[in-house]
Amino acid sequence: MNLIISTVLQEKQRIDYMLTKYQETLAELPKGTISEKQVNGNTYYYLKYRDGKKVVSKYVGKQEAEALKQQIDKRRHIEVMIKSLLKEQKLAEKLLEGNL
């Protein structure tokens, strides 16, 4: 029984560490989406995100838009990972408390 508890405890520590690292990375990545507008045959790119209740639309160049798309995709992936880790963390806490 002691082996199981120590394994669950190690897993909870790993989850806590990963959550911290993911949240630090998330704070550095841009939020929002990239939208394109066609005007007179030219394509313009905008980063749109919420600032409180307002939606902010900021112009970005084509090269910057490509880099931002990759960063936003990375952000979405990290958000999914955090959600999954939070579920695992809850389960580990329940196991350690003896509620399962």
PDB file of all heavy atoms in Angstrom, residues 5 8 24 31 39 42 50-52 54 57 60-62 65 68 70-71 75 78 84 92:
ATOM      1  N   ILE A   5       0.881   4.681  -2.578  1.00  0.00           N
ATOM      2  CA  ILE A   5       0.769   6.065  -2.096  1.00  0.00           C
ATOM      3  C   ILE A   5       1.965   6.885  -2.554  1.00  0.00           C
ATOM      4  O   ILE A   5       1.808   8.018  -3.023  1.00  0.00           O
ATOM      5  CB  ILE A   5       0.627   6.104  -0.564  1.00  0.00           C
ATOM      6  CG1 ILE A   5      -0.730   5.522  -0.167  1.00  0.00           C
ATOM      7  CG2 ILE A   5       0.764   7.530  -0.034  1.00  0.00           C
ATOM      8  CD1 ILE A   5      -0.922   5.362   1.320  1.00  0.00           C
ATOM      9  N   VAL A   8       1.595   7.643  -6.282  1.00  0.00           N
ATOM     10  CA  VAL A   8       0.583   8.682  -6.517  1.00  0.00           C
ATOM     11  C   VAL A   8       1.124  10.045  -6.097  1.00  0.00           C
ATOM     12  O   VAL A   8       0.907  11.049  -6.772  1.00  0.00           O
ATOM     13  CB  VAL A   8      -0.737   8.351  -5.778  1.00  0.00           C
ATOM     14  CG1 VAL A   8      -1.714   9.516  -5.853  1.00  0.00           C
ATOM     15  CG2 VAL A   8      -1.375   7.101  -6.352  1.00  0.00           C
ATOM     16  N   GLU A  24       3.367  29.230 -16.933  1.00  0.00           N
ATOM     17  CA  GLU A  24       4.396  30.239 -17.225  1.00  0.00           C
ATOM     18  C   GLU A  24       4.503  30.456 -18.731  1.00  0.00           C
ATOM     19  O   GLU A  24       4.596  31.595 -19.196  1.00  0.00           O
ATOM     20  CB  GLU A  24       5.749  29.798 -16.662  1.00  0.00           C
ATOM     21  CG  GLU A  24       5.849  29.868 -15.158  1.00  0.00           C
ATOM     22  CD  GLU A  24       7.139  29.254 -14.627  1.00  0.00           C
ATOM     23  OE1 GLU A  24       7.973  28.774 -15.435  1.00  0.00           O
ATOM     24  OE2 GLU A  24       7.312  29.243 -13.395  1.00  0.00           O
ATOM     25  N   LYS A  31      -2.882  35.810 -26.929  1.00  0.00           N
ATOM     26  CA  LYS A  31      -4.211  35.209 -26.962  1.00  0.00           C
ATOM     27  C   LYS A  31      -5.003  35.859 -28.083  1.00  0.00           C
ATOM     28  O   LYS A  31      -4.656  36.923 -28.570  1.00  0.00           O
ATOM     29  CB  LYS A  31      -4.919  35.352 -25.621  1.00  0.00           C
ATOM     30  CG  LYS A  31      -4.981  36.740 -25.054  1.00  0.00           C
ATOM     31  CD  LYS A  31      -5.616  36.719 -23.689  1.00  0.00           C
ATOM     32  CE  LYS A  31      -5.429  38.075 -23.035  1.00  0.00           C
ATOM     33  NZ  LYS A  31      -6.076  38.140 -21.748  1.00  0.00           N
ATOM     34  N   VAL A  39      -9.254  43.763 -48.952  1.00  0.00           N
ATOM     35  CA  VAL A  39      -9.619  45.112 -49.358  1.00  0.00           C
ATOM     36  C   VAL A  39      -8.902  45.412 -50.669  1.00  0.00           C
ATOM     37  O   VAL A  39      -7.662  45.404 -50.722  1.00  0.00           O
ATOM     38  CB  VAL A  39      -9.210  46.160 -48.289  1.00  0.00           C
ATOM     39  CG1 VAL A  39      -9.559  47.563 -48.755  1.00  0.00           C
ATOM     40  CG2 VAL A  39      -9.861  45.845 -46.961  1.00  0.00           C
ATOM     41  N   ASN A  42      -6.116  43.205 -51.753  1.00  0.00           N
ATOM     42  CA  ASN A  42      -5.016  43.040 -50.795  1.00  0.00           C
ATOM     43  C   ASN A  42      -5.543  42.356 -49.530  1.00  0.00           C
ATOM     44  O   ASN A  42      -6.677  42.590 -49.113  1.00  0.00           O
ATOM     45  CB  ASN A  42      -4.408  44.397 -50.421  1.00  0.00           C
ATOM     46  CG  ASN A  42      -3.766  45.072 -51.603  1.00  0.00           C
ATOM     47  OD1 ASN A  42      -3.151  44.422 -52.430  1.00  0.00           O
ATOM     48  ND2 ASN A  42      -3.934  46.380 -51.693  1.00  0.00           N
ATOM     49  N   ARG A  50      -9.834  39.740 -26.623  1.00  0.00           N
ATOM     50  CA  ARG A  50     -10.664  40.472 -25.663  1.00  0.00           C
ATOM     51  C   ARG A  50      -9.789  41.165 -24.629  1.00  0.00           C
ATOM     52  O   ARG A  50      -8.822  40.605 -24.139  1.00  0.00           O
ATOM     53  CB  ARG A  50     -11.607  39.525 -24.928  1.00  0.00           C
ATOM     54  CG  ARG A  50     -12.792  39.157 -25.729  1.00  0.00           C
ATOM     55  CD  ARG A  50     -13.898  38.639 -24.811  1.00  0.00           C
ATOM     56  NE  ARG A  50     -15.065  38.347 -25.596  1.00  0.00           N
ATOM     57  CZ  ARG A  50     -15.967  39.244 -25.954  1.00  0.00           C
ATOM     58  NH1 ARG A  50     -15.859  40.479 -25.572  1.00  0.00           N
ATOM     59  NH2 ARG A  50     -17.006  38.895 -26.685  1.00  0.00           N
ATOM     60  N   ASP A  51     -10.180  42.382 -24.309  1.00  0.00           N
ATOM     61  CA  ASP A  51      -9.565  43.136 -23.220  1.00  0.00           C
ATOM     62  C   ASP A  51     -10.711  43.575 -22.324  1.00  0.00           C
ATOM     63  O   ASP A  51     -11.331  44.609 -22.561  1.00  0.00           O
ATOM     64  CB  ASP A  51      -8.783  44.327 -23.765  1.00  0.00           C
ATOM     65  CG  ASP A  51      -8.008  45.068 -22.683  1.00  0.00           C
ATOM     66  OD1 ASP A  51      -7.808  44.481 -21.602  1.00  0.00           O
ATOM     67  OD2 ASP A  51      -7.615  46.226 -22.925  1.00  0.00           O
ATOM     68  N   GLY A  52     -11.024  42.742 -21.341  1.00  0.00           N
ATOM     69  CA  GLY A  52     -12.206  42.981 -20.523  1.00  0.00           C
ATOM     70  C   GLY A  52     -13.432  42.666 -21.354  1.00  0.00           C
ATOM     71  O   GLY A  52     -13.584  41.569 -21.864  1.00  0.00           O
ATOM     72  N   LYS A  54     -14.202  44.566 -24.060  1.00  0.00           N
ATOM     73  CA  LYS A  54     -13.953  45.065 -25.413  1.00  0.00           C
ATOM     74  C   LYS A  54     -13.226  44.025 -26.246  1.00  0.00           C
ATOM     75  O   LYS A  54     -12.401  43.270 -25.749  1.00  0.00           O
ATOM     76  CB  LYS A  54     -13.085  46.324 -25.365  1.00  0.00           C
ATOM     77  CG  LYS A  54     -13.785  47.538 -24.856  1.00  0.00           C
ATOM     78  CD  LYS A  54     -12.980  48.815 -24.881  1.00  0.00           C
ATOM     79  CE  LYS A  54     -11.599  48.759 -25.437  1.00  0.00           C
ATOM     80  NZ  LYS A  54     -10.901  50.040 -25.424  1.00  0.00           N
ATOM     81  N   SER A  57      -8.846  44.824 -31.983  1.00  0.00           N
ATOM     82  CA  SER A  57      -8.386  44.359 -33.282  1.00  0.00           C
ATOM     83  C   SER A  57      -7.109  45.120 -33.613  1.00  0.00           C
ATOM     84  O   SER A  57      -7.133  46.334 -33.777  1.00  0.00           O
ATOM     85  CB  SER A  57      -9.469  44.614 -34.327  1.00  0.00           C
ATOM     86  OG  SER A  57      -9.080  44.086 -35.558  1.00  0.00           O
ATOM     87  N   VAL A  60      -1.515  43.407 -37.940  1.00  0.00           N
ATOM     88  CA  VAL A  60      -0.199  42.763 -37.952  1.00  0.00           C
ATOM     89  C   VAL A  60       0.177  42.487 -39.403  1.00  0.00           C
ATOM     90  O   VAL A  60      -0.682  42.260 -40.247  1.00  0.00           O
ATOM     91  CB  VAL A  60      -0.185  41.444 -37.140  1.00  0.00           C
ATOM     92  CG1 VAL A  60      -0.373  41.708 -35.669  1.00  0.00           C
ATOM     93  CG2 VAL A  60      -1.222  40.467 -37.634  1.00  0.00           C
ATOM     94  N   GLY A  61       1.457  42.510 -39.692  1.00  0.00           N
ATOM     95  CA  GLY A  61       1.931  42.224 -41.037  1.00  0.00           C
ATOM     96  C   GLY A  61       1.803  40.750 -41.363  1.00  0.00           C
ATOM     97  O   GLY A  61       1.554  39.913 -40.497  1.00  0.00           O
ATOM     98  N   LYS A  62       2.011  40.403 -42.644  1.00  0.00           N
ATOM     99  CA  LYS A  62       1.831  39.025 -43.091  1.00  0.00           C
ATOM    100  C   LYS A  62       2.813  38.075 -42.401  1.00  0.00           C
ATOM    101  O   LYS A  62       2.418  37.006 -41.936  1.00  0.00           O
ATOM    102  CB  LYS A  62       1.995  38.933 -44.607  1.00  0.00           C
ATOM    103  CG  LYS A  62       1.750  37.549 -45.144  1.00  0.00           C
ATOM    104  CD  LYS A  62       1.845  37.504 -46.642  1.00  0.00           C
ATOM    105  CE  LYS A  62       1.533  36.093 -47.128  1.00  0.00           C
ATOM    106  NZ  LYS A  62       1.512  36.015 -48.580  1.00  0.00           N
ATOM    107  N   ALA A  65       1.908  37.677 -38.850  1.00  0.00           N
ATOM    108  CA  ALA A  65       0.672  36.904 -38.727  1.00  0.00           C
ATOM    109  C   ALA A  65       0.973  35.410 -38.728  1.00  0.00           C
ATOM    110  O   ALA A  65       0.380  34.647 -37.955  1.00  0.00           O
ATOM    111  CB  ALA A  65      -0.285  37.249 -39.861  1.00  0.00           C
ATOM    112  N   LEU A  68       2.431  34.539 -35.367  1.00  0.00           N
ATOM    113  CA  LEU A  68       1.372  34.601 -34.352  1.00  0.00           C
ATOM    114  C   LEU A  68       0.442  33.395 -34.438  1.00  0.00           C
ATOM    115  O   LEU A  68       0.006  32.875 -33.412  1.00  0.00           O
ATOM    116  CB  LEU A  68       0.569  35.894 -34.492  1.00  0.00           C
ATOM    117  CG  LEU A  68       1.225  37.147 -33.932  1.00  0.00           C
ATOM    118  CD1 LEU A  68       0.416  38.388 -34.304  1.00  0.00           C
ATOM    119  CD2 LEU A  68       1.385  37.054 -32.437  1.00  0.00           C
ATOM    120  N   GLN A  70       1.232  30.379 -35.299  1.00  0.00           N
ATOM    121  CA  GLN A  70       1.927  29.256 -34.657  1.00  0.00           C
ATOM    122  C   GLN A  70       1.885  29.387 -33.141  1.00  0.00           C
ATOM    123  O   GLN A  70       1.661  28.403 -32.434  1.00  0.00           O
ATOM    124  CB  GLN A  70       3.370  29.179 -35.144  1.00  0.00           C
ATOM    125  CG  GLN A  70       3.495  28.760 -36.587  1.00  0.00           C
ATOM    126  CD  GLN A  70       4.921  28.779 -37.078  1.00  0.00           C
ATOM    127  OE1 GLN A  70       5.839  29.197 -36.370  1.00  0.00           O
ATOM    128  NE2 GLN A  70       5.119  28.323 -38.311  1.00  0.00           N
ATOM    129  N   GLN A  71       2.091  30.602 -32.640  1.00  0.00           N
ATOM    130  CA  GLN A  71       2.061  30.815 -31.194  1.00  0.00           C
ATOM    131  C   GLN A  71       0.658  30.584 -30.632  1.00  0.00           C
ATOM    132  O   GLN A  71       0.502  30.025 -29.544  1.00  0.00           O
ATOM    133  CB  GLN A  71       2.539  32.222 -30.861  1.00  0.00           C
ATOM    134  CG  GLN A  71       4.014  32.428 -31.114  1.00  0.00           C
ATOM    135  CD  GLN A  71       4.443  33.860 -30.856  1.00  0.00           C
ATOM    136  OE1 GLN A  71       3.625  34.774 -30.802  1.00  0.00           O
ATOM    137  NE2 GLN A  71       5.741  34.065 -30.696  1.00  0.00           N
ATOM    138  N   ARG A  75      -0.570  27.910 -27.926  1.00  0.00           N
ATOM    139  CA  ARG A  75      -1.353  28.293 -26.753  1.00  0.00           C
ATOM    140  C   ARG A  75      -2.565  27.379 -26.583  1.00  0.00           C
ATOM    141  O   ARG A  75      -2.855  26.921 -25.483  1.00  0.00           O
ATOM    142  CB  ARG A  75      -1.800  29.750 -26.879  1.00  0.00           C
ATOM    143  CG  ARG A  75      -2.631  30.225 -25.706  1.00  0.00           C
ATOM    144  CD  ARG A  75      -3.137  31.650 -25.886  1.00  0.00           C
ATOM    145  NE  ARG A  75      -3.820  32.060 -24.697  1.00  0.00           N
ATOM    146  CZ  ARG A  75      -3.250  32.635 -23.639  1.00  0.00           C
ATOM    147  NH1 ARG A  75      -1.955  32.884 -23.656  1.00  0.00           N
ATOM    148  NH2 ARG A  75      -3.949  32.961 -22.582  1.00  0.00           N
ATOM    149  N   ILE A  78      -1.483  24.013 -25.273  1.00  0.00           N
ATOM    150  CA  ILE A  78      -1.124  24.092 -23.853  1.00  0.00           C
ATOM    151  C   ILE A  78      -2.382  24.197 -22.995  1.00  0.00           C
ATOM    152  O   ILE A  78      -2.459  23.595 -21.921  1.00  0.00           O
ATOM    153  CB  ILE A  78      -0.154  25.255 -23.598  1.00  0.00           C
ATOM    154  CG1 ILE A  78       1.207  24.918 -24.196  1.00  0.00           C
ATOM    155  CG2 ILE A  78      -0.029  25.571 -22.115  1.00  0.00           C
ATOM    156  CD1 ILE A  78       2.223  26.038 -24.144  1.00  0.00           C
ATOM    157  N   SER A  84      -6.341  18.837 -19.028  1.00  0.00           N
ATOM    158  CA  SER A  84      -6.132  17.419 -18.756  1.00  0.00           C
ATOM    159  C   SER A  84      -5.369  17.213 -17.443  1.00  0.00           C
ATOM    160  O   SER A  84      -5.714  16.343 -16.634  1.00  0.00           O
ATOM    161  CB  SER A  84      -5.364  16.786 -19.911  1.00  0.00           C
ATOM    162  OG  SER A  84      -5.018  15.470 -19.625  1.00  0.00           O
ATOM    163  N   ALA A  92      -5.580  12.529  -8.357  1.00  0.00           N
ATOM    164  CA  ALA A  92      -4.470  12.215  -7.456  1.00  0.00           C
ATOM    165  C   ALA A  92      -4.769  12.711  -6.039  1.00  0.00           C
ATOM    166  O   ALA A  92      -4.484  12.012  -5.060  1.00  0.00           O
ATOM    167  CB  ALA A  92      -3.177  12.841  -7.975  1.00  0.00           C
TER     168      ALA A  92
END
